[in-house]
Amino acid sequence: MEKILIICEKPSQAQDYIKVFSSYNKSSFTKHDGYSTDGKYTISNAIGHLIELAPPKAYNEKFEIWNLNDLPIIPNEFKLIVTKEKTKQFGILEKLIKQSDIIYNATDPAREGELIFRYILEKTKINQNSKTIKRIWANDPTEETIVKAFEKAADQKKYDNLYLSGKARSESDWLIGLNATRALTLVTRANQALTLGRVQTAVLRIIVDRYFKNINFKKEKLFTPAIYNAQYDIELTFNNQFKNEKEAKKVLNDTKDKYVPEIINETKKSRQPLLFALSDLQILSNDKYGYSAAKTLEIAQSLYDKKLISYPRTDSNYLNNSLIPDVKRILKEVQKLHLNKFSSEASPVTDFLEKIEGHFVFNDKKTSDHYGIMPLQHNEKDYEELSSDQKNIYDEILKRFMQCFMKEMVYQDFRILIKLTADDLTADDFYSNNSKNILYPGYTLLNEKDDSEKKLTNLSDKVELSIDQKNIKIGSTTPPKLFTEATLLAAMKNPTAHEEINENKNEIKSLGTPATFHTYLPILIKRKYVIFQKKYIIPTKLGSSIIENLKDSKLNSIELTAQIEFQLKNIENGTITYDQYLKAIKNYTHETTEHIKKIGDKVGINVEENKKIENFSCPCCSDGKLYLATSKKNYYCSNYKKETPCNFIL
């Protein structure tokens, strides 16, 4: 009998597969150290990133000591090591892999999941052609999905480019991040790690840019002409604002005392919202509940582990057409159990679409590796056992899912318009603010109730309107707002709004990926590049100095990280090769390292001194004393900033 091994990414995932295959194979699994088996199937897991790229000392012992003259460090071929605390599990997997005839990759269905599995195979040094190796691509942990994915599992060669894309991402981040970090740390004589990275530094860049635009902003007065009719209590505002009050007064002086306004009264529809992608959920959760991006992902992941929602680390808002039967089933379940908690109506909401086939949310071209976040199977018992935080996130996902399949909102859009010129091209007119009269609420029945009602006038068409008052409203220009965590996430999702991108603009999706958005802000705070000022994110002198002095380098460019993501996608698509990509990254690493070497003194003056001194003389120069860095990870000589510096570091 052929021995079949299934390798999952995490222990919790492995437990799901054990339950599924117990039912699928009508068998019971026996638990062993690091794996379970029923005789036919053996299921184990990787505990996440089991294998990682080796540190510099693996290539040369001298690289263990940071030395500016050794940079950049660029291996000819990258080496892999087993993560120290996971050695035992790797040994178990290695033995199972060598014993198996057929191996299934059941890691997360994404680039990083593919990389985790392939690194394990590579580290075992088995002859991969001697085994049958297949890929299980399951977007949610339900039994039906896992069984379908298992039965349709494709040969792993189909995913070779996906693996090469992950490998290229891993190696390029190692090259850029390691060399830039060592170079900046050494050249500034900071004696604390000043980390840089292609995404991390680009995120810092948009924070710094926004901060200086805000504090350097000069307010200017704005003058807006307005007219008023007392009979109908109507105020109309001019369509343009002026920085010169005289120009605003001239408009009013040229305004007649009576007009026959144009009444615009249109019936419009508002389309249902799309499903959440992870970043959308994180933005809403930060705004509404104050959750950090990391906390939102943690909660969403826990709901995924409980099989309550689909895979949360997605950048798509759409669904595959193959999910239509599942959506129909889930809609029935959630309407029974959860609908009325969102509705402000006394009677049950029945405003759902009669037919969901052909719905705009079903779009195979917009789902990529994953589809939008949606609820899965439900029961009241599971729901009641959730924590309050879990209920908050689950309820938002549930509500958005239901709204997506409810009917459109229909409303009356009412506006009054007075044109000063017959030529539409000049667009000189006065107008009232739009008044919206909801004719049919549709999906908005589940929105939080808005008690503010916009007044609709009873003014009819072709009625002459007297102008009883003319005045000028005085306002001012407003600075761009400082980032909160929610608005920073939105900026990372749409970086082209913050930098003029010339190449591949339509292909640029985001800074980083939905799975990593939450990781960058904590790093920037830990490195003392940014701080929170109440809820707003502002850069420190150090953070600002780094960006200022990297202005001539692509490293702080949004375009660089966007181009890299674009090229990684091209590797996945087979448009360019892994070798072509890595050659370009190695050249870029050389250029960046040399640039950083030139800016050290300017950045170094903004690094805070470490204050704790140890009573030990420097073993290198004997004249200095040893400092303990604030990170408590290294000692260094107090003479590190002298004209002839002592570069001792331990």
Side-chain angles (χ1 to χ4, degrees):
M1 183 174 65
E2 289 182 316
K3 293 183 178 179
I4 301 172
L5 173 64
I6 299 172
I7 299 177
C8 299
E9 188 165 321
K10 299 177 286 290
S12 59
Q13 206 175 18
Q15 289 305 309
D16 291 335
Y17 273 72
I18 289 167
K19 290 177 185 175
V20 168
F21 278 86
S22 293
S23 171
Y24 181 75
N25 201 34
K26 294 182 174 56
S27 61
S28 61
F29 278 76
T30 304
K31 188 175 181 180
H32 297 268
D33 190 10
Y35 69 97
S36 295
T37 184
D38 68 350
K40 181 177 181 181
Y41 296 104
T42 298
I43 298 174
S44 188
N45 59 272
I47 325 178
H49 282 270
L50 202 63
I51 310 294
E52 58 188 29
L53 293 176
K57 68 177 182 179
Y59 304 96
N60 192 319
E61 285 292 334
K62 71 174 184 176
F63 292 153
E64 187 163 12
I65 297 172
W66 291 26
N67 189 322
L68 202 58
N69 295 327
D70 291 333
L71 302 179
I73 299 169
I74 299 180
N76 291 324
E77 287 188 19
F78 283 87
K79 297 179 180 180
L80 300 176
I81 61 166
V82 180
T83 307
K84 190 175 180 180
E85 65 274 15
K86 300 174 183 178
T87 305
K88 180 182 176 183
Q89 185 62 16
F90 173 73
I92 292 167
L93 278 174
E94 184 176 32
K95 183 178 178 181
L96 293 172
I97 287 168
K98 289 178 178 178
Q99 291 174 347
S100 300
D101 303 300
I102 303 173
I103 304 167
Y104 285 88
N105 172 10
T107 56
D108 282 353
R111 184 172 71 191
E112 291 305 302
E114 193 68 27
L115 184 67
I116 287 169
F117 177 78
R118 299 294 187 103
Y119 272 178
I120 291 170
L121 289 187
E122 191 175 327
K123 188 63 179 170
T124 62
K125 297 181 180 178
I126 63 162
N127 177 3
Q128 295 185 34
N129 292 323
S130 68
K131 309 279 185 182
T132 299
I133 305 174
K134 294 188 175 185
R135 181 49 149 127
I136 297 174
W137 195 272
N139 271 301
D140 66 61
T142 60
E143 181 173 347
E144 185 180 5
T145 300
I146 290 172
V147 169
K148 279 183 183 177
F150 172 73
E151 291 177 344
K152 293 181 178 179
D155 189 290
Q156 89 157 354
K157 288 184 172 58
K158 178 184 175 183
Y159 298 93
D160 281 352
N161 285 342
L162 181 66
Y163 158 60
L164 290 172
S165 174
K167 178 177 166 69
R169 194 282 309 157
S170 176
E171 292 171 358
S172 58
D173 282 355
W174 190 99
L175 287 168
I176 295 170
L178 180 138
N179 285 293
T181 293
R182 285 196 175 197
L184 188 65
T185 301
L186 291 168
V187 80
T188 56
R189 302 175 192 172
N191 290 298
Q192 64 186 63
L194 299 181
T195 58
L196 296 174
R198 64 177 179 91
V199 179
Q200 174 194 319
T201 309
V203 174
L204 177 60
R205 151 82 186 281
I206 63 174
I207 294 170
V208 171
D209 282 357
R210 176 61 64 88
Y211 174 73
F212 281 106
K213 284 178 183 176
N214 178 279
I215 64 171
N216 294 329
F217 186 85
K218 292 181 180 178
K219 277 190 176 183
E220 294 182 271
K221 283 188 175 181
L222 293 174
F223 302 93
T224 308
I227 55 179
Y228 178 74
N229 171 268
Q231 181 183 355
Y232 293 98
D233 189 21
I234 296 170
E235 182 180 64
L236 303 177
T237 307
F238 194 60
N239 72 322
N240 198 5
Q241 294 177 307
F242 301 94
K243 293 180 180 179
N244 186 319
E245 189 175 8
K246 286 183 181 178
E247 293 181 52
K249 285 182 176 179
K250 185 178 184 307
V251 171
L252 289 180
N253 291 337
D254 293 343
T255 303
K256 295 185 293 187
D257 292 331
K258 289 185 178 181
Y259 287 96
V260 176
E262 180 182 343
I263 309 299
I264 299 171
N265 194 352
E266 299 176 324
T267 299
K268 295 184 177 180
K269 292 182 178 181
S270 174
R271 198 173 80 162
Q272 307 91 329
L274 287 165
L275 299 179
F276 285 120
L278 176 60
S279 54
D280 304 320
L281 183 62
Q282 288 170 321
I283 291 166
L284 179 140
S285 300
N286 185 256
D287 271 340
K288 189 170 180 178
Y289 303 109
Y291 297 160
S292 69
K295 181 172 181 177
T296 301
L297 176 56
E298 180 186 342
I299 296 168
Q301 184 66 40
S302 72
L303 294 172
Y304 172 73
D305 292 340
K306 290 177 180 289
K307 304 182 183 63
L308 290 174
I309 65 169
S310 59
Y311 190 67
R313 298 166 190 256
T314 176
D315 61 355
S316 177
N317 304 94
Y318 294 84
L319 297 173
N320 300 106
N321 278 284
S322 60
L323 290 167
I324 289 174
D326 293 320
V327 169
K328 286 181 176 179
R329 171 182 57 79
I330 294 164
L331 270 173
K332 286 181 181 178
E333 290 179 9
V334 298
Q335 285 177 50
K336 287 179 186 176
L337 296 174
H338 300 288
L339 179 58
N340 290 333
K341 83 170 69 170
F342 303 120
S343 172
S344 57
E345 304 296 307
S347 57
V349 173
T350 57
D351 300 65
F352 285 86
L353 296 169
E354 289 83 13
K355 180 183 177 184
I356 65 170
E357 289 83 357
H359 192 294
F360 61 83
V361 80
F362 295 109
N363 190 329
D364 293 347
K365 292 180 180 178
K366 294 186 177 182
T367 52
S368 64
D369 293 339
H370 307 292
Y371 48 79
I373 303 174
M374 61 178 271
L376 299 177
Q377 49 204 3
H378 304 277
N379 63 68
E380 198 63 32
K381 181 177 177 294
D382 287 344
Y383 180 80
E384 291 305 322
E385 288 176 355
L386 297 178
S387 69
S388 59
D389 288 342
Q390 287 174 320
K391 283 182 179 177
N392 286 339
I393 297 300
Y394 182 72
D395 284 350
E396 296 297 341
I397 293 167
L398 201 56
K399 182 166 74 172
R400 179 64 66 90
F401 174 74
M402 288 191 285
Q403 286 183 311
C404 184
F405 295 101
M406 292 177 72
K407 294 175 183 176
E408 295 175 317
M409 177 180 77
V410 183
Y411 63 96
Q412 182 185 21
D413 192 23
F414 184 88
R415 190 165 62 148
I416 302 167
L417 187 69
I418 290 177
K419 290 191 174 183
L420 301 185
T421 58
D423 187 355
D424 286 338
L425 293 177
T426 61
D428 283 341
D429 55 41
F430 284 90
Y431 63 91
S432 66
N433 290 329
N434 285 37
S435 296
K436 185 183 287 185
N437 179 32
I438 295 177
L439 303 176
Y440 180 77
Y443 72 88
T444 64
L445 279 170
L446 301 192
N447 284 346
E448 292 175 8
K449 196 169 182 181
D450 182 6
D451 294 326
S452 60
E453 292 185 7
K454 291 188 177 179
K455 181 178 61 178
L456 284 174
T457 180
N458 58 356
L459 181 67
S460 57
D461 208 0
K462 298 181 181 179
V463 171
E464 191 172 59
L465 208 62
S466 63
I467 308 304
D468 301 315
Q469 290 180 21
K470 300 177 182 180
N471 61 72
I472 293 174
K473 292 181 172 183
I474 301 175
S476 63
T477 55
T478 56
K481 290 183 178 180
L482 295 172
F483 283 120
T484 62
E485 187 169 1
T487 56
L488 179 62
L489 284 167
M492 291 174 67
K493 187 178 180 184
N494 182 26
T496 55
H498 299 269
E499 181 178 320
E500 187 58 37
I501 308 291
N502 297 317
E503 295 181 28
N504 309 320
K505 182 171 182 176
N506 295 333
E507 304 297 332
I508 295 165
K509 287 189 174 181
S510 62
L511 285 177
T513 65
T516 60
F517 280 170
H518 68 286
T519 62
Y520 297 107
L521 183 57
I523 291 172
L524 296 176
I525 292 170
K526 181 180 179 181
R527 297 302 177 200
K528 300 181 182 177
Y529 297 166
V530 303
I531 58 172
F532 269 107
Q533 195 175 74
K534 294 184 177 177
K535 68 175 183 176
Y536 297 106
I537 304 162
I538 63 170
T540 61
K541 285 184 179 179
L542 175 59
S544 300
S545 175
I546 288 171
I547 295 304
E548 169 63 22
N549 288 287
L550 284 174
K551 63 185 177 184
D552 296 325
S553 166
K554 282 186 178 179
L555 187 59
N556 79 340
S557 162
I558 294 169
E559 186 163 10
L560 170 72
T561 190
Q563 284 176 342
I564 286 177
E565 285 297 334
F566 176 64
Q567 295 301 340
L568 291 174
K569 197 70 179 174
N570 282 339
I571 295 173
E572 187 179 331
N573 296 335
T575 310
I576 65 169
T577 67
Y578 158 84
D579 291 331
Q580 289 171 323
Y581 170 85
L582 210 63
K583 182 180 178 182
I585 289 295
K586 287 179 178 180
N587 290 336
Y588 169 74
T589 301
H590 273 286
E591 294 171 11
T592 301
T593 306
E594 292 308 311
H595 178 81
I596 292 171
K597 288 178 180 181
K598 297 173 184 176
I599 64 170
D601 290 340
K602 294 177 182 178
V603 176
I605 60 174
N606 293 292
V607 179
E608 291 181 12
E609 294 277 355
N610 293 301
K611 294 178 181 177
K612 184 175 180 182
I613 189 166
E614 298 291 327
N615 293 318
F616 295 103
S617 295
C618 175
C620 186
C621 70
S622 301
D623 181 41
K625 298 290 184 182
L626 292 190
Y627 276 78
L628 175 65
T630 50
S631 65
K632 297 186 179 178
K633 289 186 177 179
N634 62 284
Y635 290 91
Y636 58 94
C637 180
S638 59
N639 289 334
Y640 75 100
K641 280 194 176 181
K642 285 200 170 180
E643 189 172 342
T644 305
C646 176
N647 291 323
F648 174 81
I649 189 166
L650 175 64

